[in-house]
Amino acid sequence: GQSLEQPSEVTAVEGAIVQINCTYQTSGFYGLSWYQQHDGGAPTFLSYNALDGLEETGRFSSFLSRSDSYGYLLLQELQMKDSASYFCAVGPYNTDKLIFGTGTRLQVFP
Amino acid sequence: NAGVTQTPKFQVLKTGQSMTLQCAQDMNHEYMSWYRQDPGMGLRLIHYSVGAGITDQGEVPNGYNVSRSTTEDFPLRLLSAAPSQTSVYFCASSYADDLRGGLSTPYEQYFGPGTRLTVT
């Protein structure tokens, strides 16, 4: 089956570092994407891991380990504008679909 | 470049009515998809298309139809609206250049602003 699990909510203070985990139970997939969605807005693409390891894009980094069925999004130097929902997504083998997790709501406090 | 546009932004339907949600993109993307998002939930794939003339079902296709006669447009039709279809609907598009064995998973998608649909 295909299932992506994320914590429902994470809180942190400005300037801190936060990690949002994504655990998947699926028969296999090609890569892992992350999207950000502010309240009332549309999802926007953040990052994509095609291979195992760490990908860094400014304050955001994303990690993938297929052997551990695990990935995470790391947000550094948190800002108030980072308060949003974050979704991981995978493309299962033998399909051309992108399947999303249920999302993690990040609240950043001053 | 308008990106991905969706109309209408808001819609209220009565149970049993039909309607079409419009989606258009001007980026010449091959891949287009429709998702629904319910409160506190992720995005669930309804239907998708890897190119003009080609459509396929996602995770929750029942009650919806799609067609793709042009690269630019991908309308979603609700055949007979039900309260369970109350949701926010997002259309998305991407290049289909991430090919493995002929597949083209859209890891980097561009989303439209969404249509908020209420069925009473």
Side-chain angles (χ1 to χ4, degrees):
Chain A
Q2 302 161 7
S3 172
L4 290 170
E5 294 181 2
Q6 301 180 235
S8 58
E9 189 166 351
V10 173
T11 59
V13 295
E14 270 187 303
I17 300 173
V18 72
Q19 179 173 310
I20 298 174
N21 298 325
C22 176
T23 307
Y24 39 87
Q25 290 83 37
T26 180
S27 56
F29 63 93
Y30 294 116
L32 177 71
S33 290
W34 287 93
Y35 285 77
Q36 178 191 60
Q37 184 181 30
H38 287 99
D39 284 349
T44 57
F45 173 79
L46 285 178
S47 68
Y48 168 47
N49 290 71
L51 303 171
D52 285 359
L54 192 67
E55 292 280 342
E56 297 180 68
T57 310
R59 295 188 295 114
F60 294 0
S61 303
S62 56
F63 174 82
L64 174 62
S65 170
R66 285 184 178 80
S67 59
D68 294 325
S69 297
Y70 170 71
Y72 66 72
L73 180 68
L74 190 73
L75 298 86
Q76 303 182 74
E77 300 172 19
L78 280 174
Q79 302 175 9
M80 296 294 291
K81 67 178 182 180
D82 296 329
S83 292
S85 292
Y86 293 84
F87 296 90
C88 59
V90 299
Y93 283 155
N94 299 319
T95 79
D96 40 16
K97 305 174 189 179
L98 192 65
I99 305 299
F100 283 79
T102 51
T104 299
R105 184 175 180 85
L106 170 64
Q107 293 191 66
V108 180
F109 294 99
Chain B
N1 226 356
V4 181
T5 57
Q6 291 183 239
T7 55
K9 285 189 168 52
F10 300 92
Q11 182 70 49
V12 179
L13 290 178
K14 289 185 169 23
T15 298
Q17 288 184 316
S18 62
M19 79 159 295
T20 299
L21 306 186
Q22 300 292 343
C23 174
Q25 52 92 8
D26 60 0
M27 298 174 280
N28 203 31
H29 285 165
E30 301 93 339
Y31 196 110
M32 296 186 74
S33 50
W34 277 101
Y35 293 88
R36 62 176 288 174
Q37 185 174 37
D38 301 300
M41 297 186 69
L43 296 146
R44 292 186 290 169
L45 182 65
I46 304 171
H47 285 286
Y48 66 101
S49 168
V50 299
I54 306 168
T55 63
D56 208 342
Q57 295 182 349
E59 303 168 271
V60 288
N62 292 340
Y64 308 95
N65 271 358
V66 292
S67 60
R68 184 96 179 269
S69 55
T70 67
T71 300
E72 295 78 19
D73 300 297
F74 191 43
L76 178 72
R77 281 182 288 279
L78 279 70
L79 309 173
S80 177
S84 61
Q85 293 179 305
T86 293
S87 189
V88 180
Y89 291 83
F90 288 102
C91 178
S93 73
S94 72
Y95 291 111
D97 59 359
D98 192 9
L99 299 177
R100 297 175 192 81
L103 298 177
S104 49
T105 303
Y107 285 101
E108 181 175 354
Q109 295 190 83
Y110 296 81
F111 281 80
T115 294
R116 294 179 182 276
L117 176 68
T118 301
V119 183
T120 60

